[in-house]
């Protein structure tokens, strides 16, 4: 049974690490999008490219934050005991 608990602890630690990375990704992509908003150009094509990249970064940031929220819910779920019937 101890091996099973060790495995569950390892899984929980791994999920917490993934969640931390998702939060970092969300923050970083928002910062990149804000930095790109400071770029000024009169070229309409360049403006379109910059806006497309900002939109993509914003979508990625939203996805990472949403995935992190789901991960938080999984990590905060109460433990359940499972009995195997064979």
């Amino acid at each position: 049974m101890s091996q099973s608990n060790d495995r569950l602890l390892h899984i929980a630690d791994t999920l917490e690490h993934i969640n931390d990375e998702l939060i970092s990704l969300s923050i970083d992509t928002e910062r990149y999008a804000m930095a790109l908003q400071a770029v000024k150009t009169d070229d309409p094509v360049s403006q379109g490219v910059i806006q497309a990249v900002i939109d993509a970064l914003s979508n990625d940031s939203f996805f990472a934050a949403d995935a992190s929220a789901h991960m938080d819910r999984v990590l905060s779920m109460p433990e359940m005991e499972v009995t195997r019937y064979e």
Side-chain angles (χ1 to χ4, degrees):
M1 189 68 172
S2 176
Q3 188 178 16
S4 177
N5 285 339
D6 289 345
R7 186 170 188 274
L8 288 176
L9 286 174
H10 178 71
I11 290 169
D13 287 345
T14 301
L15 290 176
E16 286 177 8
H17 176 74
I18 291 168
N19 196 32
D20 290 344
E21 293 298 321
L22 286 169
I23 291 167
S24 260
L25 179 63
S26 177
I27 292 168
D28 288 347
T29 53
E30 272 302 310
R31 287 181 180 161
Y32 299 146
M34 287 190 309
L36 279 175
Q37 289 173 347
V39 175
K40 301 298 178 202
T41 181
D42 292 331
D43 178 36
V45 173
S46 296
Q47 287 176 342
V49 170
I50 291 169
Q51 189 57 52
V53 173
I54 289 170
D55 292 346
L57 287 169
S58 295
N59 285 339
D60 287 350
S61 178
F62 175 78
F63 171 77
D66 188 52
S68 175
H70 288 295
M71 189 74 73
D72 282 339
R73 284 193 289 279
V74 168
L75 290 169
S76 65
M77 291 173 66
E79 289 186 28
M80 299 171 66
E81 186 173 325
V82 177
T83 304
R84 180 177 286 175
Y85 293 97
E86 295 181 21

